[in-house]
Amino acid sequence: MVLRLGSTAPDFEAQTTKGDIKFHEFIGDKWTILFSHPADFTPVCTTELGLVAALQDEFEQRNTKVIGLSANGLEEHEKWIADINEINNVKLNFPIIADADRKISELYDMLDRQDATNVDAKGVPFTVRSVFIIDPKKTIRLILTYPASTGRNFDEILRVVDSLQLGDKHRITTPGNWKKGDDVIVHPSVSTEEAQKIFPKGVKVIKPYLRLTPSPF
Ligand code: BEZ
């Protein structure tokens, strides 16, 4: 099954560092970020998971849960979490899925066998640095894949959550490099006449197809 934006996030059962879960029940009525890392006890991953732990309040403010995954077992995860906490001065509180049999990595297409930089010493592919943003209806809204060599920018993931949540509430899109509070773009499906009625803070017409309005935050 090929997962695309708009696909329903496949449901699964898993062991995690916070107990067994059924994924759709775990999501409940929240936004969810499912992200994988290549392996426990590796340097880039240690910095990444420390960053995610430090951003816990930011995720909560956005009604968003996070859940990690790698093809390691629970015992390794637990030991590694102690390292992450020590090195990054955090208390990692989100669950990490133990996908030692790689069932969920297969389901979410997180194993990139073609990338020669993404295999262990035995030639077995790691889970790549995948990110899925999933909305409360269990629909996949963003898919990202990063190479093993490059740690992700989790401020960018938060930025996308802000953009998606705002676009679900208002008929707007967001420009390149947009961040919370910046002007937003009137959705192309809204005429300028209608935009002037529904966006009381005003509409600036740059071109007939590019109309800005102050952020409704
Ligand atoms: C790392 O997290 O540093 C890493 C993991 C797998 C391959 C390369 C780097």
Side-chain angles (χ1 to χ4, degrees):
M1 177 179 37
V2 179
L3 298 181
R4 301 267 185 220
L5 303 189
S7 301
T8 298
D11 200 11
F12 56 81
E13 294 183 12
Q15 281 191 321
T16 85
T17 50
K18 297 283 184 194
D20 293 352
I21 60 156
K22 291 184 174 162
F23 189 49
H24 281 195
E25 276 178 20
F26 170 83
I27 295 173
D29 60 357
K30 305 271 186 196
W31 287 70
T32 297
I33 295 166
L34 168 65
F35 74 106
S36 54
H37 62 272
D40 294 356
F41 303 104
T42 52
V44 176
C45 304
T46 303
T47 63
E48 285 191 317
L49 273 81
L51 278 171
V52 175
L55 288 170
Q56 182 179 331
D57 287 353
E58 295 292 331
F59 291 114
E60 276 170 16
Q61 280 168 31
R62 291 161 175 83
N63 194 33
T64 299
K65 288 177 157 183
V66 285
I67 183 162
L69 177 151
S70 74
N72 297 96
L74 271 188
E75 219 172 289
E76 282 171 287
H77 281 343
E78 295 293 358
K79 285 189 186 140
W80 183 47
I81 287 171
D83 281 2
I84 294 169
N85 287 343
E86 178 197 327
I87 293 163
N88 298 285
N89 196 22
V90 292
K91 182 154 177 16
L92 192 155
N93 246 330
F94 59 86
I96 306 177
I97 295 168
D99 188 36
D101 61 7
R102 296 168 187 245
K103 275 203 187 122
I104 301 159
S105 327
E106 292 283 3
L107 188 63
Y108 276 78
D109 197 16
M110 292 166 166
L111 298 164
D112 189 345
R113 292 174 178 82
Q114 293 177 66
D115 179 357
T117 68
N118 196 55
V119 291
D120 68 14
K122 293 180 189 148
V124 178
F126 294 120
T127 42
V128 281
R129 297 188 198 283
S130 299
V131 183
F132 293 85
I133 298 182
I134 300 162
D135 71 16
K137 292 181 182 152
K138 283 79 180 171
T139 302
I140 296 174
R141 304 292 298 275
L142 167 136
I143 302 174
L144 281 176
T145 308
Y146 271 56
S149 58
T150 309
R152 287 159 284 194
N153 181 337
F154 287 92
D155 290 334
E156 167 61 3
I157 315 275
L158 286 168
R159 191 187 78 88
V160 179
V161 171
D162 285 339
S163 169
L164 288 170
Q165 292 183 345
L166 198 60
D168 281 3
K169 281 205 197 103
H170 306 276
R171 294 170 71 193
I172 59 98
T173 55
T174 59
N177 280 355
W178 174 86
K179 55 187 182 333
K180 208 168 171 172
D182 289 352
D183 286 357
V184 297
I185 295 173
V186 176
H187 194 280
S189 65
V190 182
S191 70
T192 300
E193 193 187 4
E194 190 184 3
Q196 272 146 357
K197 286 185 200 138
I198 64 177
F199 297 112
K201 290 183 183 172
V203 175
K204 190 156 85 182
V205 180
I206 314 276
K207 290 279 178 191
Y209 56 84
L210 174 57
R211 290 102 17 109
L212 297 178
T213 186
S215 172
F217 267 116

PDB file of all heavy atoms in Angstrom, residues 37-48 80 117-120 126-127 129 147-150, ligand 1:
ATOM      1  N   HIS A  37      13.363   6.881  13.642  1.00  0.00           N
ATOM      2  CA  HIS A  37      14.801   7.203  13.603  1.00  0.00           C
ATOM      3  C   HIS A  37      15.537   5.906  13.258  1.00  0.00           C
ATOM      4  O   HIS A  37      15.024   4.807  13.503  1.00  0.00           O
ATOM      5  CB  HIS A  37      15.268   7.784  14.937  1.00  0.00           C
ATOM      6  CG  HIS A  37      15.114   6.863  16.107  1.00  0.00           C
ATOM      7  ND1 HIS A  37      13.961   6.784  16.860  1.00  0.00           N
ATOM      8  CD2 HIS A  37      15.977   5.955  16.634  1.00  0.00           C
ATOM      9  CE1 HIS A  37      14.121   5.880  17.807  1.00  0.00           C
ATOM     10  NE2 HIS A  37      15.332   5.363  17.695  1.00  0.00           N
ATOM     11  N   PRO A  38      16.747   6.013  12.694  1.00  0.00           N
ATOM     12  CA  PRO A  38      17.426   4.794  12.241  1.00  0.00           C
ATOM     13  C   PRO A  38      17.704   3.777  13.346  1.00  0.00           C
ATOM     14  O   PRO A  38      17.428   2.588  13.160  1.00  0.00           O
ATOM     15  CB  PRO A  38      18.721   5.310  11.613  1.00  0.00           C
ATOM     16  CG  PRO A  38      18.385   6.696  11.149  1.00  0.00           C
ATOM     17  CD  PRO A  38      17.429   7.221  12.186  1.00  0.00           C
ATOM     18  N   ALA A  39      18.253   4.212  14.463  1.00  0.00           N
ATOM     19  CA  ALA A  39      18.592   3.222  15.488  1.00  0.00           C
ATOM     20  C   ALA A  39      18.877   3.910  16.819  1.00  0.00           C
ATOM     21  O   ALA A  39      19.326   5.065  16.848  1.00  0.00           O
ATOM     22  CB  ALA A  39      19.832   2.420  15.061  1.00  0.00           C
ATOM     23  N   ASP A  40      18.647   3.183  17.908  1.00  0.00           N
ATOM     24  CA  ASP A  40      18.991   3.684  19.239  1.00  0.00           C
ATOM     25  C   ASP A  40      20.518   3.767  19.375  1.00  0.00           C
ATOM     26  O   ASP A  40      21.252   3.079  18.657  1.00  0.00           O
ATOM     27  CB  ASP A  40      18.454   2.724  20.306  1.00  0.00           C
ATOM     28  CG  ASP A  40      16.922   2.682  20.343  1.00  0.00           C
ATOM     29  OD1 ASP A  40      16.292   3.449  19.603  1.00  0.00           O
ATOM     30  OD2 ASP A  40      16.386   1.869  21.109  1.00  0.00           O
ATOM     31  N   PHE A  41      20.979   4.556  20.293  1.00  0.00           N
ATOM     32  CA  PHE A  41      22.419   4.703  20.586  1.00  0.00           C
ATOM     33  C   PHE A  41      23.216   5.173  19.368  1.00  0.00           C
ATOM     34  O   PHE A  41      24.317   4.685  19.106  1.00  0.00           O
ATOM     35  CB  PHE A  41      23.012   3.392  21.131  1.00  0.00           C
ATOM     36  CG  PHE A  41      22.314   2.886  22.365  1.00  0.00           C
ATOM     37  CD1 PHE A  41      21.444   1.814  22.297  1.00  0.00           C
ATOM     38  CD2 PHE A  41      22.515   3.511  23.597  1.00  0.00           C
ATOM     39  CE1 PHE A  41      20.783   1.357  23.433  1.00  0.00           C
ATOM     40  CE2 PHE A  41      21.855   3.060  24.748  1.00  0.00           C
ATOM     41  CZ  PHE A  41      20.991   1.969  24.647  1.00  0.00           C
ATOM     42  N   THR A  42      22.609   6.062  18.576  1.00  0.00           N
ATOM     43  CA  THR A  42      23.344   6.670  17.459  1.00  0.00           C
ATOM     44  C   THR A  42      23.318   8.196  17.672  1.00  0.00           C
ATOM     45  O   THR A  42      22.379   8.717  18.287  1.00  0.00           O
ATOM     46  CB  THR A  42      22.709   6.310  16.093  1.00  0.00           C
ATOM     47  OG1 THR A  42      21.328   6.621  16.142  1.00  0.00           O
ATOM     48  CG2 THR A  42      22.911   4.852  15.751  1.00  0.00           C
ATOM     49  N   PRO A  43      24.334   8.892  17.174  1.00  0.00           N
ATOM     50  CA  PRO A  43      24.493  10.290  17.615  1.00  0.00           C
ATOM     51  C   PRO A  43      23.414  11.256  17.140  1.00  0.00           C
ATOM     52  O   PRO A  43      22.872  12.028  17.945  1.00  0.00           O
ATOM     53  CB  PRO A  43      25.880  10.678  17.074  1.00  0.00           C
ATOM     54  CG  PRO A  43      26.260   9.637  16.079  1.00  0.00           C
ATOM     55  CD  PRO A  43      25.484   8.400  16.402  1.00  0.00           C
ATOM     56  N   VAL A  44      23.127  11.247  15.826  1.00  0.00           N
ATOM     57  CA  VAL A  44      22.149  12.234  15.329  1.00  0.00           C
ATOM     58  C   VAL A  44      20.797  11.998  16.006  1.00  0.00           C
ATOM     59  O   VAL A  44      20.124  12.934  16.459  1.00  0.00           O
ATOM     60  CB  VAL A  44      22.014  12.145  13.786  1.00  0.00           C
ATOM     61  CG1 VAL A  44      20.928  13.093  13.288  1.00  0.00           C
ATOM     62  CG2 VAL A  44      23.338  12.455  13.098  1.00  0.00           C
ATOM     63  N   CYS A  45      20.418  10.721  16.094  1.00  0.00           N
ATOM     64  CA  CYS A  45      19.120  10.374  16.700  1.00  0.00           C
ATOM     65  C   CYS A  45      19.042  10.853  18.149  1.00  0.00           C
ATOM     66  O   CYS A  45      17.986  11.287  18.625  1.00  0.00           O
ATOM     67  CB  CYS A  45      18.895   8.863  16.658  1.00  0.00           C
ATOM     68  SG  CYS A  45      19.008   8.164  15.006  1.00  0.00           S
ATOM     69  N   THR A  46      20.164  10.780  18.849  1.00  0.00           N
ATOM     70  CA  THR A  46      20.177  11.194  20.259  1.00  0.00           C
ATOM     71  C   THR A  46      19.876  12.693  20.374  1.00  0.00           C
ATOM     72  O   THR A  46      19.139  13.118  21.270  1.00  0.00           O
ATOM     73  CB  THR A  46      21.543  10.847  20.893  1.00  0.00           C
ATOM     74  OG1 THR A  46      21.758   9.442  20.733  1.00  0.00           O
ATOM     75  CG2 THR A  46      21.585  11.202  22.366  1.00  0.00           C
ATOM     76  N   THR A  47      20.413  13.473  19.421  1.00  0.00           N
ATOM     77  CA  THR A  47      20.112  14.915  19.462  1.00  0.00           C
ATOM     78  C   THR A  47      18.655  15.160  19.068  1.00  0.00           C
ATOM     79  O   THR A  47      17.976  15.995  19.664  1.00  0.00           O
ATOM     80  CB  THR A  47      21.037  15.713  18.513  1.00  0.00           C
ATOM     81  OG1 THR A  47      20.808  15.315  17.154  1.00  0.00           O
ATOM     82  CG2 THR A  47      22.502  15.510  18.866  1.00  0.00           C
ATOM     83  N   GLU A  48      18.180  14.421  18.075  1.00  0.00           N
ATOM     84  CA  GLU A  48      16.800  14.639  17.603  1.00  0.00           C
ATOM     85  C   GLU A  48      15.772  14.347  18.692  1.00  0.00           C
ATOM     86  O   GLU A  48      14.840  15.133  18.923  1.00  0.00           O
ATOM     87  CB  GLU A  48      16.495  13.709  16.421  1.00  0.00           C
ATOM     88  CG  GLU A  48      17.122  14.108  15.120  1.00  0.00           C
ATOM     89  CD  GLU A  48      16.556  13.307  13.977  1.00  0.00           C
ATOM     90  OE1 GLU A  48      16.381  12.081  14.124  1.00  0.00           O
ATOM     91  OE2 GLU A  48      16.271  13.894  12.934  1.00  0.00           O
ATOM     92  N   TRP A  80      18.429   3.649  26.256  1.00  0.00           N
ATOM     93  CA  TRP A  80      18.836   4.805  25.449  1.00  0.00           C
ATOM     94  C   TRP A  80      18.152   6.085  25.943  1.00  0.00           C
ATOM     95  O   TRP A  80      18.760   7.164  25.955  1.00  0.00           O
ATOM     96  CB  TRP A  80      18.514   4.522  23.978  1.00  0.00           C
ATOM     97  CG  TRP A  80      18.945   5.592  23.032  1.00  0.00           C
ATOM     98  CD1 TRP A  80      20.161   6.219  22.995  1.00  0.00           C
ATOM     99  CD2 TRP A  80      18.169   6.172  21.980  1.00  0.00           C
ATOM    100  NE1 TRP A  80      20.189   7.134  21.970  1.00  0.00           N
ATOM    101  CE2 TRP A  80      18.975   7.119  21.331  1.00  0.00           C
ATOM    102  CE3 TRP A  80      16.875   5.955  21.508  1.00  0.00           C
ATOM    103  CZ2 TRP A  80      18.534   7.864  20.242  1.00  0.00           C
ATOM    104  CZ3 TRP A  80      16.434   6.685  20.420  1.00  0.00           C
ATOM    105  CH2 TRP A  80      17.248   7.631  19.801  1.00  0.00           C
ATOM    106  N   THR A 117      23.530   4.665   2.097  1.00  0.00           N
ATOM    107  CA  THR A 117      23.990   5.279   3.349  1.00  0.00           C
ATOM    108  C   THR A 117      23.077   4.887   4.508  1.00  0.00           C
ATOM    109  O   THR A 117      23.283   5.310   5.634  1.00  0.00           O
ATOM    110  CB  THR A 117      24.002   6.823   3.259  1.00  0.00           C
ATOM    111  OG1 THR A 117      22.642   7.288   3.183  1.00  0.00           O
ATOM    112  CG2 THR A 117      24.791   7.302   2.058  1.00  0.00           C
ATOM    113  N   ASN A 118      22.059   4.117   4.210  1.00  0.00           N
ATOM    114  CA  ASN A 118      21.028   3.850   5.211  1.00  0.00           C
ATOM    115  C   ASN A 118      20.943   2.372   5.597  1.00  0.00           C
ATOM    116  O   ASN A 118      19.867   1.863   5.881  1.00  0.00           O
ATOM    117  CB  ASN A 118      19.673   4.340   4.674  1.00  0.00           C
ATOM    118  CG  ASN A 118      18.658   4.457   5.770  1.00  0.00           C
ATOM    119  OD1 ASN A 118      18.898   5.144   6.752  1.00  0.00           O
ATOM    120  ND2 ASN A 118      17.554   3.762   5.636  1.00  0.00           N
ATOM    121  N   VAL A 119      22.085   1.698   5.573  1.00  0.00           N
ATOM    122  CA  VAL A 119      22.087   0.282   5.957  1.00  0.00           C
ATOM    123  C   VAL A 119      23.119   0.054   7.064  1.00  0.00           C
ATOM    124  O   VAL A 119      24.119   0.759   7.147  1.00  0.00           O
ATOM    125  CB  VAL A 119      22.416  -0.651   4.755  1.00  0.00           C
ATOM    126  CG1 VAL A 119      21.292  -0.664   3.749  1.00  0.00           C
ATOM    127  CG2 VAL A 119      23.727  -0.279   4.098  1.00  0.00           C
ATOM    128  N   ASP A 120      22.838  -0.951   7.898  1.00  0.00           N
ATOM    129  CA  ASP A 120      23.795  -1.244   8.968  1.00  0.00           C
ATOM    130  C   ASP A 120      24.938  -2.110   8.419  1.00  0.00           C
ATOM    131  O   ASP A 120      25.002  -2.388   7.215  1.00  0.00           O
ATOM    132  CB  ASP A 120      23.087  -1.896  10.172  1.00  0.00           C
ATOM    133  CG  ASP A 120      22.571  -3.299   9.878  1.00  0.00           C
ATOM    134  OD1 ASP A 120      22.964  -3.887   8.852  1.00  0.00           O
ATOM    135  OD2 ASP A 120      21.774  -3.800  10.685  1.00  0.00           O
ATOM    136  N   PHE A 126      18.149   0.550   7.825  1.00  0.00           N
ATOM    137  CA  PHE A 126      17.570   1.190   9.003  1.00  0.00           C
ATOM    138  C   PHE A 126      16.198   1.746   8.625  1.00  0.00           C
ATOM    139  O   PHE A 126      15.920   1.969   7.442  1.00  0.00           O
ATOM    140  CB  PHE A 126      18.404   2.418   9.413  1.00  0.00           C
ATOM    141  CG  PHE A 126      19.787   2.134   9.904  1.00  0.00           C
ATOM    142  CD1 PHE A 126      20.891   2.666   9.242  1.00  0.00           C
ATOM    143  CD2 PHE A 126      19.996   1.399  11.055  1.00  0.00           C
ATOM    144  CE1 PHE A 126      22.167   2.463   9.712  1.00  0.00           C
ATOM    145  CE2 PHE A 126      21.276   1.185  11.532  1.00  0.00           C
ATOM    146  CZ  PHE A 126      22.364   1.709  10.855  1.00  0.00           C
ATOM    147  N   THR A 127      15.406   2.035   9.631  1.00  0.00           N
ATOM    148  CA  THR A 127      14.240   2.887   9.369  1.00  0.00           C
ATOM    149  C   THR A 127      14.803   4.275   9.031  1.00  0.00           C
ATOM    150  O   THR A 127      15.705   4.757   9.712  1.00  0.00           O
ATOM    151  CB  THR A 127      13.340   2.977  10.626  1.00  0.00           C
ATOM    152  OG1 THR A 127      14.171   3.115  11.788  1.00  0.00           O
ATOM    153  CG2 THR A 127      12.506   1.726  10.777  1.00  0.00           C
ATOM    154  N   ARG A 129      14.590   8.475   8.451  1.00  0.00           N
ATOM    155  CA  ARG A 129      14.020   9.528   9.308  1.00  0.00           C
ATOM    156  C   ARG A 129      12.709   9.991   8.671  1.00  0.00           C
ATOM    157  O   ARG A 129      12.680  10.978   7.937  1.00  0.00           O
ATOM    158  CB  ARG A 129      14.993  10.695   9.449  1.00  0.00           C
ATOM    159  CG  ARG A 129      16.292  10.325  10.125  1.00  0.00           C
ATOM    160  CD  ARG A 129      17.174  11.514  10.426  1.00  0.00           C
ATOM    161  NE  ARG A 129      18.532  11.055  10.668  1.00  0.00           N
ATOM    162  CZ  ARG A 129      18.952  10.484  11.798  1.00  0.00           C
ATOM    163  NH1 ARG A 129      18.121  10.326  12.798  1.00  0.00           N
ATOM    164  NH2 ARG A 129      20.196  10.080  11.902  1.00  0.00           N
ATOM    165  N   PRO A 147      17.547  11.868   5.126  1.00  0.00           N
ATOM    166  CA  PRO A 147      18.623  10.874   5.132  1.00  0.00           C
ATOM    167  C   PRO A 147      19.180  10.655   6.545  1.00  0.00           C
ATOM    168  O   PRO A 147      19.043  11.520   7.413  1.00  0.00           O
ATOM    169  CB  PRO A 147      19.694  11.509   4.223  1.00  0.00           C
ATOM    170  CG  PRO A 147      19.421  12.968   4.274  1.00  0.00           C
ATOM    171  CD  PRO A 147      17.942  13.132   4.497  1.00  0.00           C
ATOM    172  N   ALA A 148      19.819   9.500   6.722  1.00  0.00           N
ATOM    173  CA  ALA A 148      20.366   9.146   8.041  1.00  0.00           C
ATOM    174  C   ALA A 148      21.352  10.193   8.538  1.00  0.00           C
ATOM    175  O   ALA A 148      21.472  10.436   9.740  1.00  0.00           O
ATOM    176  CB  ALA A 148      21.028   7.775   7.973  1.00  0.00           C
ATOM    177  N   SER A 149      22.048  10.861   7.609  1.00  0.00           N
ATOM    178  CA  SER A 149      23.127  11.780   7.994  1.00  0.00           C
ATOM    179  C   SER A 149      22.642  13.107   8.545  1.00  0.00           C
ATOM    180  O   SER A 149      23.427  13.866   9.118  1.00  0.00           O
ATOM    181  CB  SER A 149      23.986  12.068   6.754  1.00  0.00           C
ATOM    182  OG  SER A 149      23.150  12.607   5.741  1.00  0.00           O
ATOM    183  N   THR A 150      21.343  13.413   8.374  1.00  0.00           N
ATOM    184  CA  THR A 150      20.884  14.784   8.615  1.00  0.00           C
ATOM    185  C   THR A 150      19.764  14.828   9.644  1.00  0.00           C
ATOM    186  O   THR A 150      18.665  14.319   9.394  1.00  0.00           O
ATOM    187  CB  THR A 150      20.403  15.415   7.283  1.00  0.00           C
ATOM    188  OG1 THR A 150      21.422  15.231   6.303  1.00  0.00           O
ATOM    189  CG2 THR A 150      20.089  16.881   7.435  1.00  0.00           C
TER     190      THR A 150
HETATM  191  C1  BEZ B   1      22.924   8.786  13.655  1.00  0.00           C
HETATM  192  O1  BEZ B   1      21.875   8.916  14.292  1.00  0.00           O
HETATM  193  O2  BEZ B   1      23.904   9.442  13.930  1.00  0.00           O
HETATM  194  C2  BEZ B   1      22.985   7.829  12.489  1.00  0.00           C
HETATM  195  C3  BEZ B   1      22.195   6.693  12.469  1.00  0.00           C
HETATM  196  C4  BEZ B   1      22.306   5.817  11.401  1.00  0.00           C
HETATM  197  C5  BEZ B   1      23.168   6.080  10.365  1.00  0.00           C
HETATM  198  C6  BEZ B   1      23.941   7.241  10.367  1.00  0.00           C
HETATM  199  C7  BEZ B   1      23.825   8.123  11.439  1.00  0.00           C
END
